[in-house]
Amino acid sequence: QKEVEQDPGPLSVPEGAIVSLNCTYSNSAFQYFMWYRQYSRKGPELLMYTYSSGNKEDGRFTAQVDKSSKYISLFIRDSQPSDSATYLCAMSSYSSASKIIFGSGTRLSIRP
Amino acid sequence: EAGVTQSPTHLIKTRGQQATLRCSPISGHTSVYWYQQALGLGLQFLLWYDEGEERNRGNFPPRFSGRQFPNYSSELNVNALELEDSALYLCASSYGTANTEAFFGQGTRLTVV
């Protein structure tokens, strides 16, 4: 079993829809949680970062962490075609980027 | 402020050759990380450098090596290239060692033929 599981998609939704992206994990020691966005042929871009359970909001993006269920989510409101990308969840049990475990990524497509 | 920059953007090598990839971190960042992103395998941690020292390496053979220079830029060397080494190689940097907020460069696409 992988430490981090993420549905690869692809996920296709109409413009304006609310998008829900999810990851599950098995290591209860994970305490740092991140979401990255990666456009085709580009490097991953850090979108959201949190180290606690609950919700964190940034503009149209909300990251949710449920440590009891070992489940994290990223919600995108009012989705735009420019949100079309691969979204990677990532997490770590240590305060070091060398210990980050990445999900395999979900390909998201927003239809105009 | 410039982000993490990597060069070259693309690199084509033949099997058995050596490849050298370069990375310049964000100004003020002392830690540099290298990741391999192969198709279907996601991001795999390769190496971590901080203050010129190798701090940690992932589960890769010794022919993957690198170094960090006094200006914190870094080089990744891959010797005796194999076809399976074809991937996007990503460099990331962070401020200090106790930091999970890593910022990535655009990557170097290495193709081994």
Side-chain angles (χ1 to χ4, degrees), chain A residues 38 44 88 102-103, chain B residues 6 21 33-47 58-61 63-64 76 78 81-92 104 107-110 112:
Chain A
Q38 186 173 21
L88 301 156
F102 286 86
Chain B
Q6 292 186 245
L21 289 62
Y33 311 85
W34 287 95
Y35 288 84
Q36 182 194 68
Q37 189 175 32
L39 203 60
L41 291 179
L43 272 93
Q44 306 290 319
F45 168 70
L46 263 168
L47 289 159
N59 190 24
F60 282 84
R63 58 190 186 83
F64 286 84
L76 174 69
V78 188
L81 284 165
E82 300 178 1
L83 297 177
E84 308 81 73
D85 297 334
S86 295
L88 182 67
Y89 288 84
L90 293 160
C91 171
F104 284 83
T108 293
R109 174 73 61 186
L110 173 63
V112 183

Side-chain angles (χ1 to χ4, degrees), chain B residues 84-103:
Chain B
E84 308 81 73
D85 297 334
S86 295
L88 182 67
Y89 288 84
L90 293 160
C91 171
S93 73
S94 72
Y95 177 70
T97 57
N99 196 336
T100 42
E101 291 188 77
F103 298 87

Side-chain angles (χ1 to χ4, degrees), chain A residues 37-43 84-86, chain B residues 88 106 109:
Chain A
R37 176 176 62 194
Q38 186 173 21
Y39 290 113
S40 181
R41 303 182 187 281
K42 302 287 187 183
S84 297
T86 296
Chain B
L88 182 67
Q106 305 284 57
R109 174 73 61 186

Side-chain angles (χ1 to χ4, degrees), chain A residues 35-99:
Chain A
W35 285 95
Y36 283 85
R37 176 176 62 194
Q38 186 173 21
Y39 290 113
S40 181
R41 303 182 187 281
K42 302 287 187 183
E45 170 194 8
L46 182 62
L47 268 181
M48 301 286 287
Y49 173 90
T50 182
Y51 52 83
S52 60
S53 280
N55 294 353
K56 181 177 182 179
E57 193 173 314
D58 184 1
R60 296 185 295 111
F61 299 90
T62 299
Q64 189 176 79
V65 175
D66 182 349
K67 289 186 179 179
S68 61
S69 301
K70 298 190 182 67
Y71 189 89
I72 70 170
S73 300
L74 178 70
F75 298 97
I76 307 174
R77 291 184 301 280
D78 187 25
S79 55
Q80 306 293 312
S82 59
D83 295 327
S84 297
T86 296
Y87 289 80
L88 301 156
C89 65
M91 46 199 82
S92 176
S93 53
Y94 299 91
S95 182
S96 168
S98 71
K99 300 293 186 181

